[in-house]
Amino acid sequence: MAGTDSHSLPPPSPKLHHLDSRRNGFSRMLGIICLCSLCYLLGAWQTTPPKQMQSTTILSTTTSPDCKLDYKLASVPLDFSAHHSSAKEDETMVDEGTSFNLFPVCDMKYSEYTPCEDTERSLRYNRDRLIYRERHCPMKDEELQCLIPAPPGYKNPLPWPKSREWAWYANVPHKELTVEKAIQNWIQYEGEKFRFPGGGTMFPKGANSYIKDIDRLISLSDGSIRTVLDTGCGVASLGAYLLDRKILTMSFAPRDTHEAQVQFALERGVPAILGVMASQRLPYPARAFDMAHCSRCLIPWKDHEGVYLLEVDRVLRPGGYWILSGPPINWETHWKGWQRTKDDLSGEQDAIESLARRLCWKKVIQKGNLAVWQKPWNHIDCIKKKRVLKTPHICKDQDADAAWYKKMETCITPLPEVTDRKEVAGGSLATWPQRLVSVPPRILNGMLPGITELAFQEDTKQWRKRVSYYKDSLIPPLGSGRYRNIMDMNAGLGGFAAALVKDKVWVMNVVPSSAKVNTLGVVYERGLIGTYQDWCEAFSTYPRTYDLIHADGIFSMYQDRCNIVSVLLEMDRILRPEGAIIVRDDVDVLNKVMRLAPGLRWEARLADHETGPFNTQKILIAVKEYWVGMPSNSTGSS
């Protein structure tokens, strides 16, 4: 056969060719199966969250000339420690040769700027019923596009619980209250610090003594009272000391002549927000609070057809308490000091008593300077009573939870229907701390479309895993006391806050007003606190009042509604120097944030999702650099 032309060879057997093809096909199939199995096992191993990590695995990014971001592993973790011994000037904050644009620094006159409660803008609005002190946000062409500076000498707040009694003067340089409230024991100036003795206008012996007086009238220790609304809170000493009893207080006060009340409260590490009872509903759902409190809060309860007490009734849960101290309570003792006549004060108390009866409230007790009323557990008897006491009538066709730019109404917010006088309208709540993990009545009653009992339980488990991942791998100081005031910009069912409940933190749970499902009522039923917010606008707080901001999907939610830059500038305004940010979102969205972060003076990194690198969602972690404004700063722009 040597030398024979291959073309002269006989053709191979068709059977042999078919058998060879089958063997090759089987080999390829076997190879594919093995490869798929290997990929599956590798993926399962990669997506299993590590039990413990000695170092943080962070994704860093570099910007290419065509503005595309490339990922690479970064070996240097973010620095979460405090470095505020000296100020950095604007020109030295960024290394030479950077390819991004720094946002300009606002003038120092904006150091305490609250965009939607601006005192100059408020003068354009009606002064009747304090409407001018409500939220009035700037138009788009009025918004500041610059970074709010911290005052010279700014320092990170003292850790909790020391911060309850002490705050740095340089952080809130206002001595007005030390003069105005000198004899009422609100606040004292001592060297470079303020001291908060815990006093108040109606409790000069201190908040602890006052709280004990309340506890003798209604129990503050059995877990039935967990959420409290403090109207006209001063520097929030009531809320500060109720924390000792595991009670969370939403304290609010307007931005008024008593400079920086809410700012002082937040500087102390106590929940507080700017707000006023005027014409709009308070930004909370119906049946939110277990107790409401007014200690000489100067709210005219009997005026305007009782609309303010009707609003308190809306946000009180069934069986909740309203506590009033100060005028006109115990007027027989105090009328001379209050510089009012006996008839005037007696008439005011009679009017409040009458209004409370028409709200179907029961007066529990009045003793000394305290008076306590209780809202009914349901409206069975109240509906019958309305046949005689026709005003205020019971509202019809209203969304009781709607409270974002919603006008107050002079009618009683109806409670969910019941069939028995002993039944709690809307469902009974477990006592604290079981309340945190019990399925909220709003979910059990099917009031939240698509959210079942099982979905709630899975959400709770998921956030425990996520927060554990944050602490172990992304922000180790999260559970160490480094952060006190925390905000969750898109709280959902409150799972993030619930997972942090054993730490020395509190969380402001924000539910966007445009959320598909209104979950804020569930947040309160769990024994947590929060508010509504539209993130195309500014939040009702002073600058530098939050230590850590958590944002889950917030940029995807708002990217088609408002400028992402405006949202980032607002986050920067309310975040403290050296505060931290956690943003969860799709990687394409986070790329945009990463491009802007250096210009905000944020040191930022991208990290994998807790389920592993194959998840298209990523997590951005950022730290706001420490820098302060200069006394003669004139580089700002508006």
Side-chain angles (χ1 to χ4, degrees), residues 381-393:
D381 291 330
C382 192
I383 290 172
K384 294 179 179 179
K385 188 182 291 186
K386 286 295 113 184
R387 296 169 186 168
V388 178
L389 303 174
K390 297 187 180 299
T391 59
H393 65 279

Side-chain angles (χ1 to χ4, degrees), residues 403-425:
W404 188 247
Y405 292 120
K406 175 77 173 177
K407 291 286 186 183
M408 292 183 187
E409 297 184 56
T410 54
C411 54
I412 300 173
T413 300
L415 290 172
E417 293 184 4
V418 297
T419 57
D420 188 274
R421 282 185 173 82
K422 296 181 180 179
E423 189 177 347
V424 179

Side-chain angles (χ1 to χ4, degrees), residues 103-115:
F103 284 92
V105 177
C106 302
D107 192 275
M108 272 301 297
K109 69 179 181 180
Y110 293 109
S111 178
E112 295 179 353
Y113 183 53
T114 54

Side-chain angles (χ1 to χ4, degrees), residues 66-85:
D66 60 355
C67 293
K68 292 181 179 179
L69 292 178
D70 301 317
Y71 299 110
K72 65 179 181 181
L73 288 177
S75 58
V76 181
L78 294 177
D79 182 4
F80 297 103
S81 57
H83 306 283
H84 53 69
S85 57

Side-chain angles (χ1 to χ4, degrees), residues 587-605:
V587 66
D588 291 340
V589 176
L590 292 185
N591 284 347
K592 300 175 185 177
V593 179
M594 283 292 294
R595 294 188 188 102
L596 293 166
L600 293 161
R601 283 89 169 168
W602 294 0
E603 183 187 355
R605 299 286 187 273

Side-chain angles (χ1 to χ4, degrees), residues 313-466:
D313 180 79
R314 183 185 73 85
V315 299
L316 268 183
R317 70 164 172 83
Y321 296 99
W322 182 54
I323 296 180
L324 178 63
S325 66
I329 303 303
N330 199 13
W331 59 266
E332 298 90 344
T333 301
H334 299 293
W335 67 275
K336 289 184 179 179
W338 290 338
Q339 297 181 337
R340 293 172 60 183
T341 66
K342 292 181 180 180
D343 290 343
D344 182 25
L345 288 163
S346 175
E348 181 180 353
Q349 176 145 358
D350 289 345
I352 290 174
E353 301 271 12
S354 173
L355 177 58
R357 285 193 297 272
R358 287 182 282 124
L359 288 173
C360 306
W361 291 5
K362 176 181 72 174
K363 190 169 185 180
V364 178
I365 192 171
Q366 178 173 326
K367 186 174 182 180
N369 295 331
L370 290 166
V372 181
W373 286 265
Q374 186 176 26
K375 180 177 176 175
W377 294 101
N378 57 62
H379 274 167
I380 285 183
D381 291 330
C382 192
I383 290 172
K384 294 179 179 179
K385 188 182 291 186
K386 286 295 113 184
R387 296 169 186 168
V388 178
L389 303 174
K390 297 187 180 299
T391 59
H393 65 279
I394 295 177
C395 306
K396 295 181 179 179
D397 302 322
Q398 65 156 222
D399 181 354
D401 288 343
W404 188 247
Y405 292 120
K406 175 77 173 177
K407 291 286 186 183
M408 292 183 187
E409 297 184 56
T410 54
C411 54
I412 300 173
T413 300
L415 290 172
E417 293 184 4
V418 297
T419 57
D420 188 274
R421 282 185 173 82
K422 296 181 180 179
E423 189 177 347
V424 179
S428 59
L429 296 173
T431 56
W432 183 262
Q434 186 60 33
R435 178 172 167 179
L436 181 71
V437 294
S438 299
V439 181
R442 278 173 164 87
I443 293 177
L444 289 175
N445 294 336
M447 295 180 64
L448 275 65
I451 300 179
T452 63
E453 181 177 348
L454 179 60
F456 169 78
Q457 293 167 343
E458 290 298 319
D459 183 81
T460 300
K461 292 178 184 177
Q462 182 182 59
W463 278 108
R464 285 176 185 161
K465 292 179 181 178
R466 288 176 173 178

